[in-house]
Amino acid sequence: EYIKMEWKFKEWQEFSTVEIVLRNEEEDDECEVYLTQTKIPANEKKEKLEFGWKEYYFEAMSKILGYPQRD
């Protein structure tokens, strides 16, 4: 499964591109999620974005679905 979308903070002038790839093996009940974000403003801190995706999206999904989150 492949998802591509545009995303930005309200203070950003331009949108960034977010690509999400979901992969799972047919015999497994697990799914791996790969997220790539490009076209990020030069003054934006990478650590802030990584924290935000993990804390506000992936951690929340993990709690709701009951699956552990791995880095």
Side-chain angles (χ1 to χ4, degrees):
E1 186 77 30
Y2 174 79
I3 302 162
K4 184 175 181 177
M5 62 184 176
E6 292 185 323
W7 184 91
K8 73 182 195 88
F9 287 112
K10 63 183 174 184
E11 63 269 8
W12 290 4
Q13 297 296 316
E14 307 267 332
F15 280 89
S16 67
T17 300
V18 176
E19 297 179 49
I20 300 173
V21 177
L22 305 174
R23 292 190 187 145
N24 82 329
E25 300 295 327
E26 294 296 324
E27 62 275 356
D28 288 341
D29 286 339
E30 295 182 0
C31 178
E32 294 179 351
V33 179
Y34 298 90
L35 184 139
T36 305
Q37 186 171 4
T38 57
K39 299 189 206 170
I40 299 167
N43 63 338
E44 192 63 65
K45 294 190 184 293
K46 177 183 170 188
E47 295 80 12
K48 176 185 172 187
L49 294 172
E50 287 177 351
F51 174 82
W53 283 109
K54 286 180 183 179
E55 182 74 15
Y56 300 113
Y57 292 93
F58 294 112
E59 183 68 27
M61 285 190 289
S62 176
K63 288 178 181 176
I64 290 169
L65 299 172
Y67 294 109
Q69 179 180 323
R70 291 184 270 166
D71 287 331

